[in-house]
Amino acid sequence: MKKQDCIFCNLANGIWPAEAIYEDDKVKVILDAGPASKGHALILPKEHADDMFDLDEESAAHIFVVANKVAKAMKKTLNCDGMNILQNNGPIAGQTVFHFHLHLIPRYEGDGIALTWKPGSVTDEEKSEIIAEIKKGL
């Protein structure tokens, strides 16, 4: 399914122009219009999924195969020192465009990008309870 009013559906499917880094029958990889770093790219599925919760397993697997391929090419050609692979789901997690997309953010020494959080803590009992709850949903 494609959504006519979805910016990423339009970009991924060539309705709106966007030069591709990589493209196949399932995804298009483009540079982010507001990059965090040199080479910051988005992997856009051509079929619409609002977020990870709406994405089928086959598409998810393919997206990560493409992420691996493109990230390796970035490391080789852009000489980045590292890579963040980022994906946001829902407004509380920072999602602003509601079409699943995966960010590939090349990292460079001294780039000033801060994608960190203050580590919390959890007891062994809490871990066991959380694991049991999640397993119920599998």
Side-chain angles (χ1 to χ4, degrees), residues 11-37:
L11 290 168
N13 290 287
I15 296 163
W16 295 351
E19 189 173 354
I21 294 170
Y22 172 87
E23 185 170 9
D24 61 30
D25 61 328
K26 295 179 182 179
V27 300
K28 187 173 197 174
V29 182
I30 64 172
L31 290 178
D32 192 299
S37 69

Side-chain angles (χ1 to χ4, degrees), residues 49-117:
D50 287 339
D51 52 32
M52 180 178 69
F53 308 114
D54 195 29
L55 193 66
D56 65 83
E57 287 184 8
E58 183 181 327
S59 296
H62 182 73
I63 289 163
F64 274 90
V65 167
V66 171
N68 181 263
K69 180 185 297 193
V70 175
K72 286 178 179 178
M74 289 175 163
K75 174 90 171 135
K76 181 178 178 181
T77 60
L78 300 178
N79 298 311
C80 54
D81 300 307
M83 176 78 57
N84 285 112
I85 298 175
L86 177 68
Q87 205 283 308
N88 303 319
N89 295 281
I92 193 70
Q95 186 178 11
T96 58
V97 178
F98 296 91
H99 176 113
F100 177 93
H101 55 287
L102 188 71
H103 293 261
L104 298 177
I105 306 172
R107 298 300 305 275
Y108 304 93
E109 189 69 39
D111 63 17
I113 299 170
L115 298 175
T116 62
W117 55 86

